[in-house]
């Protein structure tokens, strides 16, 4: 079997080999090359220590990514390639990090510490594919299988449970029977794993084609990691699965759908997962827009909401809601046209400014903003033109009314 390794990665492998090292491309890139999938990044594994690797590539920029774990990143033509020394992971007393890592001269040891057979393939141009765990066969048959005893492997690192589901979901693979049984038995081990590691794998899973199917098969795992959303995985699992199938392959959309189905605000979930502010805000907006059914709002309320959300968030929410509820997608075009046309839907687009309001009506402070908002409502409701004189006159009537009420 021949795998096309990018020139730069091959240069690293060749230089290492010319210096007397063993060196192979390994892991996800080898797997995805064979599957003809898009490759994220290339990892190289070698028997040389990180210090020796740095010496060999002293003419290049290198980054000490994880020297303690044997990893140095070599940057060739701006492409970062992680080079890691063959290693054996020591005991895992906390189910999280190996207590120690031991470097080893044997490729076999390094492949054995890896999680799944399809992730334990090594390759270089001189030796071809090295497949000590039947990874190629599993790749051909679409199977995720632990290397060694699944119970032991999941107890070493609970995250592997979620990784198995993530790979199955992304690759459209099934999980081998013993591995699947062990997942059901051991999923509570995910309780020992940091929120950041869980979130990364969960997002990979939710953003992929097989998310609905995976959740249908292992609902208990998801109740375990997202306890506030348990209603979606327990009582409403069929609705949840159907809804997830309707969503695009976007993790934020799927998580928002689950929050909606569980009838939650999402606050605890989003805080618990320690998501970035961007992801958190995006999901909160989606949940909120589902609450008001932005996709079916009346004209005035719709325009006001587009104005307060802005273009990107509005279009994202409409795309989410029309998929989730199967509503007419022409509402997306309608929103696009509103934004393109420059139609007045925000106070910034009014033909008067706060200064104008103060100069003309004498109001100051918070009342200025209130006046502008009231004018915006009038413009959206077609009660006045967005034109300076008309707005100032309208402002005066508003102001009189307000003073009268005070
Ligand atoms: P992706 O394309 O999503 O990056 P990947 O297989 O490259 O998939 P990484 O998380 O980048 O996944 O890990 C690189 C390799 O390191 C894996 O292919 C696997 O061999 C090994 N690996 C990563 N995480 C673990 C783990 N928790 N336990 C055992 N081996 C692991
Ligand atoms: Mg990778």
């Amino acid at each position: 079997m021949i795998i096309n390794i990018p020139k730069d990665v091959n240069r690293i492998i060749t230089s290492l080999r010319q210096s007397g090292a063993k060196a192979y491309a390994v892991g996800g890139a080898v797997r995805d090359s064979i599957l003809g999938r898009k490759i994220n990044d290339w990892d190289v594994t070698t028997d040389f220590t990180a210090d020796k690797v740095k010496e060999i590539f002293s003419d290049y920029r290198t980054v000490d990514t994880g020297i303690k774990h044997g990893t140095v990143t070599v940057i060739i033509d701006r492409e970062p390639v992680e080079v890691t020394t063959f290693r054996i992971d020591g005991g895992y007393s906390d189910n999280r990090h190996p207590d120690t890592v031991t470097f080893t001269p044997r490729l076999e040891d390094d492949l054995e510490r890896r999680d799944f057979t399809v992730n334990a393939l090594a390759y270089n141009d001189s030796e071809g594919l090295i497949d000590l765990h039947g990874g190629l066969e599993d790749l051909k048959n679409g199977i995720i299988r632990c290397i060694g005893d699944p119970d032991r492997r999941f107890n070493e690192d609970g995250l592997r449970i979620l990784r198995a589901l993530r790979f199955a979901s992304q690759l459209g693979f099934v999980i081998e029977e013993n591995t699947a049984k062990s997942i059901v038995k051991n999923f509570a081990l995910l309780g020992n794993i940091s929120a950041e590691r869980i979130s990364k794998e969960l997002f990979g899973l939710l953003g992929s084609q097989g998310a609905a199917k995976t959740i249908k098969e292992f609902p208990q795992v998801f109740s375990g990691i997202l306890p506030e959303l348990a209603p979606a995985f327990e009582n409403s699992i069929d609705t949840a699965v159907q809804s997830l199938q309707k969503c695009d392959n976007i993790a934020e959309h799927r998580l928002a759908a689950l929050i909606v189905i569980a009838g939650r605000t999402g606050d605890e979930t989003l805080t618990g997962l320690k998501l970035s502010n961007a992801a958190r805000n995006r999901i909160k907006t989606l949940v909120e827009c589902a609450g008001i059914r932005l996709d079916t709002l009346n004209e005035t309320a719709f325009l006001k909401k587009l104005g307060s959300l802005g273009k990107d968030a509005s279009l994202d929410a409409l795309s989410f809601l029309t998929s989730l509820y199967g509503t007419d997608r022409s509402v997306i075009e309608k929103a696009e046209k509103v934004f393109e046309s420059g139609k007045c839907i925000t106070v910034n687009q009014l033909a008067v400014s706060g200064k104008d309001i103060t100069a003309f009506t004498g109001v100051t402070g918070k009342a200025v903003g209130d006046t502008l908002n009231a004018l915006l409502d009038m413009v959206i409701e077609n009660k006045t033109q967005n034109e300076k004189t008309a707005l100032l006159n309208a402002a005066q009537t508003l102001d009189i009314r307000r003073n009268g009420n005070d």
Side-chain angles (χ1 to χ4, degrees):
M1 168 166 304
I2 293 176
I3 289 176
N4 261 330
I5 302 183
K7 208 171 80 258
D8 302 334
V9 180
N10 237 342
R11 228 154 83 204
I12 292 180
I13 294 177
T14 309
S15 299
L16 283 164
R17 285 171 52 83
Q18 280 167 354
S19 311
K22 297 177 193 160
Y24 307 85
V26 71
V30 177
R31 176 195 72 223
D32 290 341
S33 298
I34 297 173
L35 290 174
R37 289 174 62 91
K38 188 182 150 289
I39 287 140
N40 283 336
D41 34 40
W42 287 85
D43 291 318
V44 169
T45 185
T46 178
D47 59 340
F48 273 21
T49 60
D51 285 338
K52 273 205 227 157
V53 172
K54 279 170 69 171
E55 228 174 86
I56 292 168
F57 296 103
S58 56
D59 290 346
Y60 295 91
R61 200 156 85 78
T62 58
V63 181
D64 293 357
T65 317
I67 288 287
K68 250 182 30 199
H69 297 103
T71 303
V72 45
T73 302
V74 181
I75 297 161
I76 292 199
D77 288 342
R78 299 213 197 126
E79 273 304 312
V81 177
E82 282 195 0
V83 181
T84 304
T85 311
F86 296 161
R87 62 173 212 232
I88 305 169
D89 296 338
Y92 284 69
S93 47
D94 63 355
N95 300 315
R96 256 181 267 188
H97 315 288
D99 299 335
T100 52
V101 302
T102 313
F103 300 121
T104 159
R106 290 158 35 97
L107 173 68
E108 305 88 282
D109 297 335
D110 184 81
L111 294 180
E112 207 174 305
R113 68 147 172 111
R114 294 174 184 272
D115 44 10
F116 308 112
T117 59
V118 295
N119 285 348
L121 296 165
Y123 179 90
N124 67 29
D125 283 342
S126 334
E127 295 169 62
L129 188 72
I130 300 191
D131 174 18
L132 305 178
H133 300 280
L136 186 59
E137 181 76 10
D138 283 344
L139 212 48
K140 284 186 179 150
N141 295 323
I143 293 173
I144 298 297
R145 183 197 311 265
C146 278
I147 294 176
D149 172 40
D151 285 349
R152 185 172 64 79
R153 301 313 308 279
F154 291 145
N155 272 284
E156 284 170 0
D157 179 5
L159 188 69
R160 289 173 187 153
I161 292 172
L162 195 53
R163 283 174 63 82
L165 302 186
R166 193 255 291 183
F167 287 120
S169 197
Q170 282 181 333
L171 305 174
F173 281 21
V174 297
I175 296 178
E176 177 273 329
E177 200 183 325
N178 287 325
T179 302
K181 278 189 189 146
S182 181
I183 287 175
V184 172
K185 180 168 147 200
N186 291 303
F187 70 84
L189 292 168
L190 282 163
N192 304 328
I193 306 297
S194 75
E196 288 85 352
R197 289 182 85 205
I198 297 244
S199 295
K200 189 160 168 280
E201 297 296 338
L202 180 66
F203 264 53
L205 189 161
L206 289 176
S208 67
Q209 187 63 43
K213 181 169 174 274
T214 304
I215 290 178
K216 189 185 167 108
E217 282 167 25
F218 297 92
Q220 61 284 65
V221 177
F222 296 89
S223 282
I225 52 180
L226 302 168
E228 319 80 40
L229 305 186
F233 304 116
E234 289 163 13
N235 322 337
S236 314
I237 182 70
D238 292 336
T239 317
V241 169
Q242 280 164 18
S243 301
L244 294 173
Q245 267 158 349
K246 289 184 198 149
C247 288
D248 291 331
N249 292 331
I250 301 174
E252 287 88 343
H253 287 199
R254 291 223 168 90
L255 191 50
L258 290 168
I259 292 169
V260 170
I261 290 158
R264 311 297 299 218
T265 60
D267 286 336
E268 309 117 298
T269 307
L270 301 178
T271 310
L273 286 172
K274 300 206 175 135
L275 299 182
S276 68
N277 283 337
R280 188 162 41 204
N281 290 337
R282 185 174 178 189
I283 295 167
K284 275 188 80 75
T285 301
L286 295 174
V287 173
E288 190 194 304
C289 289
I292 58 166
R293 285 303 301 268
L294 176 67
D295 53 327
T296 59
L297 276 185
N298 70 48
E299 183 77 8
T300 316
F302 181 71
L303 291 175
K304 282 183 191 168
K305 197 64 198 172
L306 294 198
S308 69
L309 289 174
K311 184 176 172 185
D312 291 351
S314 298
L315 297 179
D316 188 41
L318 288 171
S319 141
F320 167 63
L321 295 171
T322 50
S323 299
L324 185 64
Y325 297 119
T327 36
D328 189 351
R329 288 183 77 84
S330 67
V331 70
I332 301 174
E333 256 166 65
K334 186 169 139 194
E336 272 167 348
K337 284 204 182 110
V338 169
F339 288 108
E340 269 164 32
S341 69
K343 192 175 170 67
C344 177
I345 52 172
T346 63
V347 288
N348 293 334
Q349 291 169 294
L350 285 171
V352 289
S353 67
K355 275 189 187 146
D356 296 332
I357 298 294
T358 305
F360 195 75
T361 65
V363 300
T364 53
K366 183 176 171 295
V368 177
D370 292 346
T371 306
L372 288 171
N373 279 319
L375 290 175
L376 176 64
D377 286 355
M378 290 178 72
V379 170
I380 290 178
E381 289 160 22
N382 291 319
K383 290 183 181 155
T384 176
Q385 296 264 307
N386 185 20
E387 188 272 319
K388 192 162 179 176
T389 315
L391 290 174
L392 290 176
N393 287 334
Q396 217 163 24
T397 53
L398 276 176
D399 201 40
I400 289 162
R401 202 164 60 219
R402 187 166 42 235
N403 286 343
N405 289 344
D406 276 351

